Amino acid sequence: MEITSAEEIMILLSSMDKEHSVARIYVPGIGEFTIVLQKKEGNNGAAAEERIPAAGLTRNPYV
């Protein structure tokens, strides 16, 4: 997936979950990246939902 704005990458990250935990992106002029979500150690799985004020999106608890 080609990323051309910060909003696109925020939408991609917000949509990731346990089943969709790997994403490959291409940033023009910079290169290709693989994003992998990993569960934090000591996390009890009951992460509180947070808002990201700049983007107006809900924070993904797996990020």
Side-chain angles (χ1 to χ4, degrees), residues 27-50:
V27 180
I30 298 178
E32 190 172 327
F33 299 88
T34 302
I35 299 172
V36 180
L37 292 181
Q38 295 180 329
K39 185 175 180 179
K40 288 183 179 180
E41 292 298 320
N43 187 356
N44 64 4
E49 231 182 52
E50 296 178 35

Side-chain angles (χ1 to χ4, degrees), residues 5-27:
S5 70
E7 183 176 286
E8 288 178 352
I9 199 159
M10 291 303 295
I11 291 169
L12 173 71
L13 292 174
S14 296
S15 68
M16 294 176 78
D17 57 22
K18 286 183 179 181
E19 288 79 33
H20 302 96
S21 61
V22 178
R24 293 181 188 259
I25 63 168
Y26 173 75
V27 180

Side-chain angles (χ1 to χ4, degrees), residues 41-60:
E41 292 298 320
N43 187 356
N44 64 4
E49 231 182 52
E50 296 178 35
R51 298 290 292 173
I52 302 170
L57 300 171
T58 303
R59 182 181 181 278
N60 187 323

